[in-house]
Amino acid sequence: MFNVTGLDNWRFRNASGDEWLSAKVPGCVHTDLLRHGKIPDPFIGTNEAEVQWIDKQDWVYEACFEMNAEQLQCPCVELVLEGLDTYAEVKVNGHPVLSANNMFRMWRRDVKAWIQQGENRLEIVFRSPVAEDLPKLEQLGYALPAPNDQSEAGGLTDKKVSVFARKAPYHYGWDWGPRLVTSGIWRQVRVEAWSGLIVRDLFIRQDEISADGARLTAVAEIENAGEIREADLRISADGREWSKPVRLLKGRQTQTVELELYMEQPKLWWCQGLGEPHLYTFAAELVERDEGAVIAEKTVKTGLRSIRLVRERDAKGESFYFELNGVPVFAKGASHIPNDSFTTEVTRERYRHEIASAAASHMNMLRVWGGGIYEEDIFYELCDEYGLLIWQDFMFACSMYPGDQAFLDNVAKEAEDNIKRLRNHPCIALWCGNNEIDSAWAHYEENGGWGWKKDYTPAQRERLWSDYETLFHRILPEVVHIWSPQTAYWPSSPLIGLSGDRNQHAHPSSTAGDVHYWGVWHTSEPFENYHVHVGRFMSEYGFQSFPEYKSVRFYAEENELELESTVMLAHQKNGAGNRLIKEYMERYMREPKDFKAFLPMSQVLQAEAMKMAIEAHRRRKPYCMGTLYWQMNDCWPVASWSSMDYFGRWKALQYTAKRSFADVLLSVADTEQGNKELHIVNDTLKPVQGTLRLTLLHIRGSKAIREEDIQVEQQANAAGLVHILLADKWLNGQNPAEHMLVARLIENGEQVASCEVYFADTKEMDLPQPNIEVIEVQGSGGSRFNLRSDVLARHVWLSAEQEGIFSDNHLDLAPGIPKTVEFLALGRGDSGFETASPGKLTVCSLVDWIQG
């Protein structure tokens, strides 16, 4: 027997008060207070500052649940709490049953001794995470580095306590997010009453996978609450069945049973661009030996694939790439942060929108960054479904952490819980120990890193590094090896590697490991340096922009729309952010006519920077085999590095990424002599052979000045130079700023790739005012449109009355050459998008935003 009782009718109160209010579970104190009008919306204006008192208080949640006589006859009655944030005392009918201290762990306790027939009361007291951890800081005697902990904003002066809590680091603030230190029940709560046998866990271990056959091991954790039982463990999938007799010992204990499986010619799971992400459902049944009755069962879904991180010495250093089913994969994507400061506000539809957006943008990998959360199950299920690989960080970022035994034991259990929860997902490609801690501390380079070491004595340094090594070089890799032995582990990002026990720290031009390159942005280096600093795997780089006007107006009034206004600064968490956007804009673009125009121009600037970076990385394939920009999404409405704002609205960068991540890319690079290189990047498994059609145009006229066809080819899964375009020959003395070239790759009569080639920087071009026609395609139901301009129109931006995206946007229209776009509505159907009418359309371009 297995019976589940949910809990509803939750209520909460401040522990120091007596006013009870209804609560929503899963949820948190902030969202419950906001729903009752007790606090202002912290996402609007400067309201973030008005809610900093919440994390200094203790909070009480309680609910009642019914238990009947039949449930009480079960030998096992368990309280299951999938996520408590963070320090919590749990009581059932007044009896203490659990003390929780980790947001990322699942808690399970047998509460049969305290359960009664009829009504029962569950009480959870959340202790203030600030009050809980301040004594730990005082006991340690010195502060641990945590530069993103906005302790001053929380009224704690320089007392940074985030590192002591096993809680989402970004709750304490980041350089794109607010300080909103939550408490609450953030995942499901239930009571399970059961007797006999249950299959507690089922892992389909993938021992050897190929197109010819899959050797698997079903690892079943079976718990017996009764007498000795003789049964058969039966595993089935896709019409196949395997079985094994098992003898389950008497008493409350868990046994692990392994059953070898073999599947001939399986359908493999592939990531985006390489094939179908096929999924199998495996069912485990415990069948009574004598009567043949099913007494316990469990199902899991997984995809069959082999994936490995390939690090092999070569003439230029050491490779760093993922190999899927024997195929080297160039990783294309971005870093993912939590979609909301309040994680329980993220609906299934919001998750699908993000994952569908990534897939629609030709991404094949997302990096779940270590300052957020181990994501909800639905996130990984969608990545499995859409064919997105996941680089999964453990939740450690940009800080040094304690090394006491209680902390380490807590982390080891956290890692076990989450690896076991996620290990059946074929999307998981890598577990990474942390984000940027190795490069920030740089233990073996006295003058390296972020300057942290200078604040500590030699003895303190050695202790901090010893604690680091214990956690990231011993505990976490051991837990990964035990619970998911086929998954690669990487200690820190970025990192060159380990030489014995000694770290080799990463630098912008490292020829091994992965690279975070932030010279563009943090140190004001020119965009052109993206061509210079190309590593083996570019796992982080980025550039900021503002969200669009409609999103900005959510948090700012019209009279606050000024770059240095109090509200704008409150929604720019990088101290130099607004200055850097303005500085780069002055360097690369003309002056915007007002702040409203500054918003889309900031997105153009961001998109141009990331286009340069992405395509520089892709052109260097196979030397470079990954490009993951920072960042995909936002947790609140803000100016940040995201390509999709908090409301899911695509910025210019998302459209640019879609084009620059295309499986077949035609890309332009400048030579030192002022000529243009044309490269074909082919990520498909078929060679490309076709015609490269080059058309020279005046930016004010649609008549071709010169055309040329060149036969080109590119091997499968390869990149390379196919043609050098001699600028002097093509321009023949004409003004470079007044001419452009359109390059189109034609294969079997179809255009498979195209790009615009400019002979002058945007700032140097005197762009004419275009007349842009938007003509509905007949029979499209008002969803498809042909765009045409009489002159060059740069950075054309379509806006719709309805919420949605376009198949292409932020695009250049060469004079007389049409492009077709389709409007797609959000959040409808399993695809995440569907064709729909956009309602009223508006169209503008760069010349509408710059001063005349």
Side-chain angles (χ1 to χ4, degrees), residues 102 105 166 374 394 396 401-402 405-418 471-472 475-476 479:
N102 190 320
R105 288 177 59 180
R166 290 313 301 144
Y374 305 96
F394 286 99
F396 300 91
Y401 290 87
Q405 196 59 48
F407 184 88
L408 296 176
D409 290 345
N410 198 2
V411 170
K413 183 59 180 172
E414 164 194 322
E416 177 185 336
D417 282 359
N418 285 284
L471 181 53
F472 298 109
I475 291 176
L476 290 179
V479 177

Side-chain angles (χ1 to χ4, degrees), residues 333-337 367 369 539-540 628-633:
S335 288
H336 158 92
I337 66 170
R367 172 175 171 247
W369 167 76
S539 51
E540 195 178 299
L628 308 177
Y629 64 78
W630 183 268
Q631 67 211 57
M632 180 73 181
N633 56 326

Side-chain angles (χ1 to χ4, degrees), residues 774 787 796-800 806 808-811 821 841-844:
V774 182
L787 309 180
V796 174
W797 185 259
L798 287 166
S799 298
F806 290 89
D808 199 4
N809 208 346
H810 167 64
L811 50 87
V821 301
L841 275 179
T842 57
V843 59
C844 53

